[in-house]
Each structure stands twice: as C-alpha cells, then as structure tokens.
Amino acid sequence: MNGAERADTDGYQYAEVAVPVHVSSTFIYRLSISMRQLAQAGSRIVVPLGRKFVTGYIVALRENLRPGTSLQESDIKEAREILDAVPLVTPELLELTRWVAEYYLAPWGEVIRAALPPGISPTIDPFLSITERGRTELSGFPSNQTPTIKLRLLNLVGKSQEISLATVSNEFGDLQAMKLARALEEDGLVEIRQRSGTAFVKAKFQRRVRLVKTNQTPGDEPGRKLTEAQLRVIEALKAQDSLALPELLARANVSSSSVSTLQKRQMVEVFEVRLRRDPLGNAPFEPHLDYELTKDQEQVLAELDPPLRARAYAPFLLHGVTGSGKTEVYIRAMRVALSLGRSALMLVPEIALTPVFSRRLRMHFGDRVAIFHSSLSRGERFDEWTRVRNGDARIVIGTRSAVFAPVKDLGLVIVDEEHESTYRQQDSPHYNGRDTAIVRAQKESAIVILGSATPSLESFHNASTGKYHYLRLPNRLGNRPMAAAEIVDMREVFARYQKPRIFSDELLQAIEEARQKKEQSIILLNRRGYSSFVLCRSCGESVQCPNCDVTLTYHRSERVIICHYCNHREAAPLKCPSCEGKYIYYVGEGTQQIEEQLKKLFPSLRIARIDRDTSSRRGAFERSLMDFGEGKIDMLVGTQILAKGHDFPNVTLVGVISVDAGMALPDFRAAERTFQLLTQVAGRAGRGFRVGKVLIQTYHPYHYALRHASAQDYVGFYEEEIRHRQNHTYPPFVALASLLVHGADLARVKSEAVELRKELDRANPERAARILGPAPAPLARLKGEYRVQLLIKCRNRRELRKIIDEALKALNERKINLRSINVEIDPVSIM
Ligand code: ADP
Ligand code: ZN
C-alpha cells in the first residue's frame, strides 16, 4: 500500500529513451540509484548521444536488458538527469505518438517533441494541493499520536492552497519529497499539478491594487492629510474589488508614487496574481440563444448520443453542405460530452478559422475552452496547454497539432472540413492530423465526427463500405437554395475579343448588378501576387527562381519578384536577365492585379484583398473578415483561403477567375481538389435570404470536376472519380508512399535514389508492392535542392511499411544519411 516503500524496491535499472533526432530506434540508458526513484515513463531525461547531451523522453522502464539482445552491460551509457517529476507526456500520448511514429515511419522522439508546446522550459516545477479526501484523513488523525512522515507532509500541503514541490523539498529533501508526494497522490490525498518553470516559457504575473481602508485612523501621523491625487486613488478603488496597477494609474490620473505612499500608510495593498495569457482576451462574450434544432440535426445527434454515453469508439462521417448546421451539432455533442465529465477536441484546418470557431465555442462554454495553434505566442500556448493538462479546460479547438492536446477522458473528437490537405504536416514528422485523430478516438474509446460538405474520396469510400457511419444534413437551414453555379467558357470570350481577357462580360455584369443592389461579392483566384511570371518578348525566357524549379511572381506594390516556395526576392527586372531585351511583360494574373483592375473598373466599390501576403500579419485577416461581415467592405478578392468556413449572409456573388491551373497539376488529387474548392466557394454565396450566383471562368468547361461542382452534385463526382482511382490504382484502392531524395548535389541525389530503389526491390521479393521511379519530382528543384522521387503502391498497408522500413534500415547500415530521404506515407499530394 505504501507507494514510497514500493518505489525503493521497484527501482528500474534502465530507461528506454526516444530522442528527437533522425533515427527510428529508441536507446537504452542506465539509471543511477537516485534517478531510479524518480524515473517515470513520459518524463524528459537528459542523455548522452554521440558527443553531445540531448533531451529525450522516457518511453519505458526496464528491470533487465532484454534477453536475446546483443546489448552488453558495458555498451550502456548512464543517463544524466531527469527533468520532470511529473511526466510531461501522458500515457495516452505516449501510446498515440508511438502509433504515429510507427505508421508514418517517423522518429518517435521527433513525434513527441511535435506533440508538446514549443519552447517549454527545461524544468517544470510541480505544485501540490490537498484533496477532499486528504482533509478528511488529516482531521481524522488523533492529535495525541506522533504523525508519520507522510502525514507530516500532508499537513504541510494542507496549510496552503498550493505549495511547490521545491518548497516541500526544503524540508524533506528532494528525493524524499518526491517519493512521499507520489505516494500521497496514489492514495488520492493530494494532487500534483504542472506549473510553468523558470527558463524559456514563464508564468506571467500582474500587479493589482486593492483598498484596505478608506479613512486615516488615529494611529496615522496627524497633519499628514491625503493629497488630491491620493484621494483620487481611493475613489477609483472604492467601487472595485481591485484594479490592475496600470489601469488604476490611468483612471486616477496619478503617478505610481501616490500609490506607493498609500501602500506605506497601509491604506492600499499591492499584490500579484498569476495571469493567464488568453488568446481570446479581447473577445466579447456575447450572450447566445439556443436554437431549436431542426429534425435533421436532431436525428444526427440521436445517432451520436448512444456511443458517446457508452464510452465506445464510433467513427462518423457528417456530410452536410455549408450552412446546414454542422457546427451547431458539434456544439450540442460537446455539451453531452461535458455533461458526462468527458472532454472534447475539435480540429479545424486553418489558423485563420480558429478565431471564428473559438468565439462561438466561448459563448457556449466560457473558460472551459482552450485554443491550440501555431500563431499564438509561446507563452499563450504554454498556458493553454497547462490548463488542458490540469483538466481546467475540457474543450480544445485548434489546428493539426492540437490532436496531441493532453486532454483527459476524451469523449468526442471533431475534424471539421476533414478533406482539407492542411491536416497533413509538410515537415517531418509527416503525420496527418485527421487520421491521427481517428486513431486517437479509437484508442481512447471516443466518438469521432469527420465533417465536410465535400468529403475526401477516402472518407466517403469508408462510409460507403460501412467503415464509418454516414450522417447527412442535406439541406441548408431555412431551406435556402444552394447558389446556382454557371460555367463561363473563356474560349468564347477569347474568340469574341480575339485576345485573352481576365474578366468575362458575364462576370462584370454580375458585379455591376450586385453593386446596384448593394450586395456583397467575393472574387477568387488561386494565385497571390500581381502576375504569375515575367516573360521576355524577345527571347521568350521567363524569370526563374535561382533555388527552385518555378518562375518568380511579380508583386507590384513592392516592385519585386518573389518565389512563393523559398521566399527568394529580387527587384523586378527592367530588362530581360538572359538576352538584355527591354520588352519584358507579365503573364497571368495574381490577386494584387485583379484587385487593382477591379478598383479601376468599379471605383465606387470598397474592395479588400485577402491572401497569404495580407494575412501573414496576425489579426489582419480577421479584421478584413470582420469588416466584410459588418458591411464596411463590398468585395473581397483573394485566394482559396476565402473559400472556407465563413458565413456572410449578404454575399450574393462569387466569381472564380480561373480554375485551370489547379486542374492541370500533375497530381492524382487535382480533380478532387478542384471539385472541393469550387463546391466550397459556391457555398459562400446566398447564405442569407437572397439568392446567390456563382460564376466560374474556365478554358476547360467540360471537365467532370467542373460539371459536378456547378451542379453541386457530390455523389456524381465521387462515382466518376472513384472509377478513375480504381482504374489507375490510386488510393483508396492502394496504400501509397512517396520517397523523396533531396540534396544540393544532383549526382549524389541520383545515386542515392538508385541505391534506395535497389534496397526497396530487395525488400520486396514477392513483388507485393509496385515501385515507380526514381524520377525527377514534379517540383524538381526546391530551395536550392534537387528532388528525385520514388512512389510505392501496395494493396497491403502493413507490407508497404515493412518494405520501406527494411530498405531504410539497410541504407542506414551502409551509412547512407537518411536525412536526405523524406518518407511520406499516405501523401496528400505527390508534387
Ligand atoms: P455549418 O457548420 O454546416 O456551416 P452552422 O452550424 O454554422 O452550419 O449553421 C449555419 C447558421 O445557422 C449559423 O449562423 C447558425 O448559428 C445557424 N443555425 C444553426 N442551427 C440552427 C437552428 N437549429 N435553427 C436556426 N439557426 C441555426
Ligand atoms: Zn525559390
């Protein structure tokens, strides 16, 4: 029963450690006697690796070296230091990150690091607090008996609301304090909670002032009457519990010396409180009314309810057009999860979407909502993470990496817009947030809802084979009609004018109509910048990025040409860099140019542009959207970022300048992407009571993705596309992996790719997998590196991973650096 005693005898000798470096295996380290008592799976540990020390994560503890391994006692190095007294990584997350590492062939240590908030301090100081049970235990103890050492500690903890482990250690010694605290926690008498440490990310404090007494008491020096300024301070504090110091100074219009004088005279008290860095700090908490759910919404919820209550894993695909009430369903399901004492996790595809959703969640759930995404400050991220780890926040909303949020008792996982490619992490570790979310739900017996108006082919396929339960919200709320989409054949426009034009007459006319009716419009283009490339009329050369295999894009506002992959920039040329000819011209249109031309054509319209250039500043994107929502802007011009998740009732026109570039990409998902984009963007029109209009300009009017998108016919598109996938053996009919060899030296990249192919063939003697390549990747050069690609298709997913794993291990043994090989399992794009 006594945890402290047990720890003495149990002391594991060895720790298995995952380190965040590019190797797939874990390492074994010896633990010193004192470390043995502290070591727990999930804690960070400093270990020697090569000539350096690195911080790794304990993934398991061992009593013996595994029998049968070639490891000798003498090979084993000793660990240096254990950083966490309370494991940073929960058992659930150890399990999930292990799955990610195995499935995506990524180093486990790298996955764990990606799962933790960045910049976390090397030491995390835990705090102890007494529980209800602890208090009962204390009060039941006969006062005439000498207390045990455990009870003495309990008593110490009971004296304050919270006490740091460091403080306890002063009295009991480091190891003893930790052991006792653990034992008390096991008995349910105290709670151990994380607090921020001292180094990188710190807890933030605020100085506040409160009134102690309003009048001078007889003890005060007579004759020292309060000054005008001091009286104003007291006046300002009277109505308040307390005020933040800066605010008080502003309100009373005094300098801080007035406050410190009052403090000396013990009339006011200055104290510190821990501040939570709240990413939504300035968001208004609007009151909300509960809608009466529609029949469809009721039905969907009725299906979600039983497995949620039964604590059983159940996957759902919620297929509903934009505006059909999906988000309302999510909120109701979250409420059920909370009422069961469980937590909910919601993933959204874009940072830009989190403010929209988190506001809505805040209205319903207040402080229980935590927000996870990469544009929060490190401090904010750490604070939010801590609130979740401690169980204070039970609803998490965030982008991809929020799938690793340390929520307790997960009941509900939502992946909104599940088809979005942003769920796939582009850098190592290459995991897919959606698929990881499904696995997490499975491991933690939660239900998972994949929501989309245009489900990915894979998910719809899974629903049609019965792997997912299929839920449908077929209608828009209030039965508003979907906007009719018209395809504008730009070949006709070309024939009419005998030259290419950006805007068809149809589109210009529709904009004019919207303008006259004072309705709003959205103009979408898939390309930021001013024009897509710079061409010389004399020699026909285009200006290329020196590092990448792409042309540079002209940005007129700064008069520079920019590479959108590596961000290389140079001044826009006045003459052709290759032939010195001076007839340079610009081909293709970017968002900047479209915006400029529309401003010329419609001077009375208030037009704003939204794309990655304007939205890189935090808040700028949100502000434009808010202004648009409030009618301060008439037209938004932008890239596909505009197609997602916003609800503007006064938008009646959506114009798509051109979709052709996207359809022509050498990627098996090009048609699916185009269909999704157009369907989503069409969903932006006519969200209110007016009928919407969608115009799509194209040179390929008969492409099946366009036809089905303009008819808003998902199933029609699915059936046609799934046949293509089957005929060409692409996912979901095979598992696919892409192996990209990259490096600055082309000859070496090529020879490594050839060696890789040889090893893959050797690992594939039965020819279970089909291996394609090596061949230059569609983007053959990027950021100064050459890229050569191999694709592997296999009907058996496990077999696929085994073949790749074996080949990589063989290469590693031959001392070929695996850093130059990028492995992607289930790539979302093969560009
Ligand atoms: P989706 O997520 O499918 O786009 P939302 O849940 O955001 O749909 O609903 C669209 C709009 O309709 C929102 O403004 C929402 O507040 C409102 N809404 C949702 N459910 C109802 C309902 N049952 N009755 C009335 N309005 C609703
Ligand atoms: Zn470049």
Side-chain angles (χ1 to χ4, degrees):
M1 82 141 267
N2 189 320
E5 275 159 28
R6 217 191 47 205
D8 279 340
T9 51
D10 256 1
Y12 290 98
Q13 284 208 55
Y14 304 102
E16 182 178 346
V17 177
V19 284
V21 296
H22 216 78
V23 285
S24 59
S25 56
T26 52
F27 296 94
I28 304 286
Y29 290 93
R30 191 181 314 106
L31 297 170
S32 67
I33 306 250
S34 63
M35 277 190 263
R36 281 177 212 176
Q37 290 159 331
L38 267 183
Q40 276 181 296
S43 287
R44 290 170 307 156
I45 185 168
V46 180
V47 291
L49 188 74
R51 283 187 212 138
K52 288 185 302 194
F53 283 95
V54 297
T55 302
Y57 311 92
I58 303 179
V59 295
L61 293 168
R62 301 248 195 98
E63 276 179 76
N64 307 304
L65 288 179
R66 205 171 270 146
T69 56
S70 54
L71 279 178
Q72 299 288 314
E73 181 60 43
S74 55
D75 299 336
I76 308 277
K77 293 183 189 164
E78 185 155 309
R80 184 179 196 177
E81 190 189 355
I82 290 177
L83 295 181
D84 306 313
V86 179
L88 210 53
V89 187
T90 59
E92 291 83 12
L93 286 178
L94 266 187
E95 179 62 27
L96 186 67
T97 50
R98 187 172 61 108
W99 176 85
V100 169
E102 276 173 13
Y103 186 92
Y104 294 104
L105 294 168
W108 193 358
E110 264 189 16
V111 179
I112 296 178
R113 189 169 59 185
L116 293 174
I120 203 161
S121 73
T123 55
I124 300 282
D125 197 12
F127 273 67
L128 312 178
S129 59
I130 193 161
T131 61
E132 235 9 84
R133 237 168 98 192
R135 290 219 181 278
T136 320
E137 177 95 8
L138 259 189
S139 60
F141 188 78
S143 54
N144 54 359
Q145 247 173 339
T146 334
T148 60
I149 184 162
K150 264 169 83 180
L151 219 53
R152 264 176 41 218
L153 181 80
L154 189 62
N155 192 31
L156 184 65
V157 175
K159 273 192 204 146
S160 48
Q161 216 183 356
E162 258 189 342
I163 186 165
S164 79
L165 188 65
T167 315
V168 178
S169 302
N170 290 340
E171 193 158 325
F172 292 83
D174 277 355
L175 267 180
Q176 183 78 326
M178 193 59 235
K179 276 187 339 194
L180 290 171
R182 281 254 188 80
L184 288 172
E185 191 194 27
E186 264 176 35
D187 298 343
L189 304 178
V190 304
E191 253 184 332
I192 307 184
R193 291 153 66 92
Q194 302 278 3
R195 269 304 168 86
S196 67
T198 45
F200 302 150
V201 190
K202 289 184 186 166
K204 192 171 157 190
F205 291 91
Q206 183 189 52
R207 294 176 76 189
R208 297 185 70 85
V209 185
R210 86 176 134 227
L211 201 54
V212 181
K213 55 186 177 188
T214 45
N215 293 315
Q216 287 172 289
T217 48
D220 288 336
E221 291 171 52
R224 284 199 57 193
K225 284 181 77 183
L226 294 179
T227 62
E228 284 289 313
Q230 289 164 351
L231 284 170
R232 284 203 300 276
V233 171
I234 290 177
E235 209 45 46
L237 285 170
K238 260 184 187 162
Q240 245 74 26
D241 246 6
S242 66
L243 274 176
L245 184 60
E247 195 185 342
L248 174 64
L249 298 184
R251 281 204 197 183
N253 188 23
V254 296
S255 71
S256 58
S257 68
S258 310
V259 176
S260 41
T261 313
L262 286 171
Q263 190 188 6
K264 272 186 217 125
R265 296 174 71 175
Q266 294 180 3
M267 297 188 65
V268 302
E269 186 182 19
V270 181
F271 60 104
E272 283 196 334
V273 290
R274 181 169 181 217
L275 272 194
R276 171 183 151 214
R277 282 156 287 206
D278 183 352
L280 280 184
N282 301 321
F285 276 62
E286 292 150 40
H288 73 93
L289 293 173
D290 262 358
Y291 302 112
E292 194 176 320
L293 293 180
T294 62
K295 266 222 175 60
D296 290 332
Q297 285 173 323
E298 296 270 15
Q299 247 167 32
V300 166
L301 274 165
E303 299 227 18
L304 301 173
D305 206 65
L308 190 52
R309 288 181 194 280
R311 299 176 173 258
Y313 164 68
F316 295 91
L317 174 64
L318 176 54
H319 185 186
V321 294
T322 42
S324 60
K326 293 189 296 296
T327 311
E328 197 59 31
V329 167
Y330 303 152
I331 290 171
R332 300 298 175 107
M334 285 177 181
R335 236 186 243 175
V336 177
L338 278 187
S339 74
L340 297 168
R342 308 182 75 188
S343 306
L345 176 61
M346 174 168 175
L347 300 185
V348 295
E350 290 263 352
I351 288 176
L353 291 180
T354 49
V356 184
F357 282 106
S358 28
R359 288 235 164 80
R360 204 158 152 192
L361 293 185
R362 269 290 170 86
M363 275 190 251
H364 288 264
F365 303 109
D367 250 4
R368 283 170 295 176
V369 179
I371 301 166
F372 275 47
H373 62 71
S374 59
S375 73
L376 301 186
S377 72
R378 284 184 165 195
E380 283 171 339
R381 284 171 91 172
F382 182 74
D383 286 3
E384 293 293 86
W385 186 87
T386 313
R387 288 193 324 119
V388 173
R389 179 79 168 87
N390 287 338
D392 298 333
R394 305 199 67 109
I395 293 186
V396 175
I397 174 169
T399 45
R400 184 177 58 228
S401 66
V403 73
F404 298 115
V407 286
K408 288 178 185 155
D409 202 354
L410 185 61
L412 167 66
V413 182
I414 294 157
V415 183
D416 195 36
E417 313 280 1
E418 61 88 24
H419 61 277
E420 285 288 345
S421 54
T422 46
Y423 283 121
R424 146 76 57 173
Q425 164 118 330
Q426 291 302 329
D427 321 314
S428 181
H430 298 281
Y431 65 96
N432 184 309
R434 174 197 62 196
D435 297 340
T436 307
I438 297 167
V439 170
R440 181 161 186 190
Q442 197 167 16
K443 288 186 183 296
E444 298 179 33
S445 300
I447 69 166
V448 53
I449 310 172
L450 308 179
S452 179
T454 52
S456 63
L457 266 264
E458 284 90 336
S459 295
F460 198 81
H461 184 72
N462 281 337
S464 62
T465 61
K467 199 172 159 199
Y468 298 162
H469 306 279
Y470 183 64
L471 304 173
R472 189 96 173 92
L473 286 175
N475 302 311
R476 284 183 155 189
L477 285 154
N479 281 322
R480 271 169 258 146
M482 288 304 286
E486 289 165 39
I487 293 178
V488 182
D489 187 344
M490 293 304 278
R491 295 172 309 178
E492 280 173 21
V493 176
F494 185 79
R496 215 181 300 153
Y497 291 95
Q498 291 300 311
K499 63 176 181 195
R501 289 173 63 103
I502 302 178
F503 304 106
S504 60
D505 296 336
E506 288 88 337
L507 183 56
L508 292 177
Q509 196 183 332
I511 295 173
E512 176 57 22
E513 275 168 27
R515 189 189 68 81
Q516 282 173 14
K517 290 194 238 155
K518 299 207 180 321
E519 294 169 351
Q520 290 176 303
S521 48
I522 291 177
I523 304 295
L524 187 106
L525 179 80
N526 244 346
R527 206 184 288 143
R528 61 203 175 100
Y530 193 79
S531 64
S532 65
F533 51 101
V534 188
L535 208 71
C536 169
R537 274 188 211 276
S538 316
C539 71
E541 272 305 298
S542 54
V543 182
Q544 297 277 329
C545 173
N547 314 315
C548 309
D549 193 14
V550 293
T551 51
L552 295 173
T553 300
Y554 180 46
H555 283 237
R556 179 164 168 155
S557 52
E558 304 155 86
R559 300 207 173 272
V560 289
I561 45 182
I562 299 178
C563 170
H564 285 176
Y565 287 95
C566 72
N567 213 23
H568 166 85
R569 28 181 89 213
E570 54 186 80
L574 296 173
K575 49 187 182 187
C576 172
S578 42
C579 76
E580 309 243 304
K582 51 187 174 182
Y583 299 104
I584 288 274
Y585 72 114
Y586 300 97
V587 183
E589 305 81 33
T591 42
Q592 273 190 27
Q593 188 184 2
I594 300 283
E595 178 195 17
E596 200 176 289
Q597 298 220 358
L598 285 169
K599 277 183 172 160
K600 256 188 226 145
L601 288 165
F602 301 96
S604 67
L605 286 184
R606 294 161 299 174
I607 302 178
R609 175 168 57 91
I610 286 190
D611 53 31
R612 234 181 309 155
D613 295 324
T614 62
S615 64
S616 49
R617 273 169 300 131
R618 189 179 163 189
F621 178 86
E622 213 191 321
R623 217 165 19 252
S624 294
L625 285 182
M626 287 234 265
D627 286 351
F628 193 57
E630 288 166 14
K632 293 181 192 156
I633 293 174
D634 304 310
M635 176 191 277
L636 281 182
V637 176
T639 50
Q640 66 230 46
I641 202 165
L642 275 182
K644 290 162 196 163
H646 316 290
D647 194 3
F648 302 116
N650 200 30
V651 171
T652 55
L653 171 67
V654 173
V656 181
I657 297 293
S658 168
V659 289
D660 298 344
M663 281 192 309
L665 292 176
D667 189 325
F668 72 96
R669 282 186 222 267
E672 185 183 357
R673 286 275 131 70
T674 304
F675 175 81
Q676 285 162 349
L677 174 68
L678 293 180
T679 313
Q680 296 275 336
V681 77
R684 297 301 121 212
R687 302 259 294 180
F689 294 102
R690 297 169 229 230
V691 184
K693 185 172 196 173
V694 179
L695 291 177
I696 302 166
Q697 302 190 151
T698 178
Y699 284 91
H700 302 279
Y702 299 111
H703 192 287
Y704 66 103
L706 290 188
R707 267 192 293 112
H708 292 299
S710 69
Q712 294 276 338
D713 177 11
Y714 178 84
V715 175
F717 173 76
Y718 171 81
E719 280 168 356
E720 205 157 326
E721 178 68 10
I722 201 86
R723 265 203 311 278
H724 283 288
R725 299 280 180 92
Q726 187 149 30
N727 292 341
H728 298 98
T729 46
Y730 271 118
F733 297 97
V734 285
L736 184 69
S738 134
L739 301 186
L740 190 86
V741 186
H742 56 97
D745 178 352
L746 181 60
R748 184 165 171 177
V749 167
K750 277 187 179 162
S751 78
E752 279 182 9
V754 169
E755 293 310 309
L756 176 58
R757 168 80 207 225
K758 278 187 202 152
E759 293 297 348
L760 286 168
D761 283 335
R762 209 164 287 157
N764 182 31
E766 316 274 308
R767 299 283 171 265
R770 217 175 128 211
I771 304 170
L772 309 167
L779 198 58
R781 207 163 153 247
L782 182 68
K783 300 181 184 173
E785 292 194 326
Y786 292 93
R787 295 146 53 90
V788 169
Q789 193 175 44
L790 291 108
L791 288 180
I792 309 176
K793 294 174 175 180
C794 187
R795 296 213 180 261
N796 182 331
R797 183 171 284 292
R798 192 164 297 146
E799 188 67 27
L800 175 82
R801 283 202 303 273
K802 206 182 109 228
I803 292 168
I804 298 172
D805 199 36
E806 266 179 36
L808 292 181
K809 285 212 169 98
L811 286 180
N812 192 37
E813 267 158 36
R814 292 170 49 192
K815 304 280 176 243
I816 292 182
N817 187 0
L818 298 188
R819 274 204 161 280
S820 59
I821 303 174
N822 212 346
V823 182
E824 276 197 66
I825 306 289
D826 304 340
V828 294
S829 107
I830 49 174
M831 292 280 296

